[in-house]
Amino acid sequence: MRVTFKELMDSLGVGYELSAYETCPWSVYDGEKAATCSAEVRMNHDGDEIEAEIQMMHDTPPESGAPIERKFYALYKPSADQKWEAKKVIALENDGEGVYDWATKAASFFHACVQALKMDQIPDFEALYEQEITSKEKYAGGRGGSSKAPKIKPQQLLDMKQGRGF
C-alpha cells in the first residue's frame, strides 16, 4: 500500500488531512459492557509519521486480561516519492504475515471499526476482521473470478429502453 497522504487519511476514515501534532479521535462508552472503545489517528510533531490505534478500556478488567487491550496499531511513513506506506500494522494481535495486501486490508478493518464508533457502537472486532481481512483473502470461501466478459445479445439492449434490462 503506497498512497498519497489524502488517500491514506480517507482510507483510515479521517476525511481531512491532519497537520503536525493533530489527532482525530473517536470514542464510545457502553454501560452494559462497562467498556470504552477509542480509536485515533495522530500525526507526530515533525509531520512525517502517522499512527492509527484502537483500544478497549474495561471498567473492571477481565480475570485473564489487562484493563486496556490494543485491538489495532499501525505506523505509516512517507517514502522518497512522498507516497505513504505502512511500516508496522497489527490487527487483533496479527502482524499480517502471509496475508496478501495486508496493509490495505488492515486499513479497511480500521475504517470499518471507525464507522461502528461513528454510529455510537463498540465494534464487533472479530466479525469485522473476518469481513475485511479473512473473507477478502485470495480464493477465500471458494470464490473464483473469471476474466471472461458476459455475452450480450443486441435485442437485450433494446429491451433496456423499455425498462426490462438484461
Side-chain angles (χ1 to χ4, degrees):
M1 175 176 160
R2 291 173 47 97
V3 295
T4 66
F5 186 64
K6 181 176 180 357
E7 290 170 334
L8 177 62
M9 294 294 99
D10 288 345
S11 71
L12 295 174
V14 175
Y16 61 93
E17 295 183 22
L18 294 177
S19 55
Y21 286 116
E22 193 171 4
T23 300
C24 182
W26 301 272
S27 183
V28 170
Y29 178 76
D30 186 335
E32 291 178 19
K33 295 180 182 177
T36 301
C37 181
S38 66
E40 69 177 25
V41 176
R42 59 187 173 263
M43 180 177 271
N44 72 344
H45 63 284
D46 290 331
D48 62 356
E49 284 185 2
I50 290 289
E51 289 181 304
E53 187 172 30
I54 300 174
Q55 294 181 344
M56 282 294 296
M57 293 163 277
H58 303 279
D59 291 350
T60 53
E63 294 115 29
S64 62
I68 298 176
E69 296 176 73
R70 181 187 273 178
K71 298 293 189 176
F72 182 89
Y73 175 79
L75 173 66
Y76 301 93
K77 292 186 176 190
S79 59
D81 63 354
Q82 296 305 306
K83 297 276 184 162
W84 289 73
E85 58 187 339
K87 297 298 182 180
K88 181 177 185 178
V89 180
I90 299 170
L92 300 185
E93 300 180 14
N94 185 350
D95 65 359
E97 187 172 332
V99 177
Y100 175 75
D101 200 16
W102 170 248
T104 302
K105 291 176 183 176
S108 294
F109 170 74
F110 181 86
H111 191 263
C113 291
V114 165
Q115 292 303 328
L117 291 171
K118 286 180 177 179
M119 293 186 296
D120 208 29
Q121 300 171 353
I122 291 184
D124 181 346
F125 295 105
E126 286 73 23
L128 291 175
Y129 187 90
E130 171 69 28
Q131 174 186 322
E132 297 298 329
I133 295 175
T134 308
S135 68
K136 291 182 180 179
E137 193 62 13
K138 193 173 184 179
Y139 304 116
R143 291 182 294 152
S146 172
S147 61
K148 199 170 185 181
K151 294 194 172 154
I152 300 172
K153 298 176 185 157
Q155 62 271 23
Q156 288 176 321
L157 292 174
L158 295 174
D159 284 346
M160 281 178 45
K161 290 180 184 176
Q162 296 169 357
R164 291 189 206 134
F166 292 106

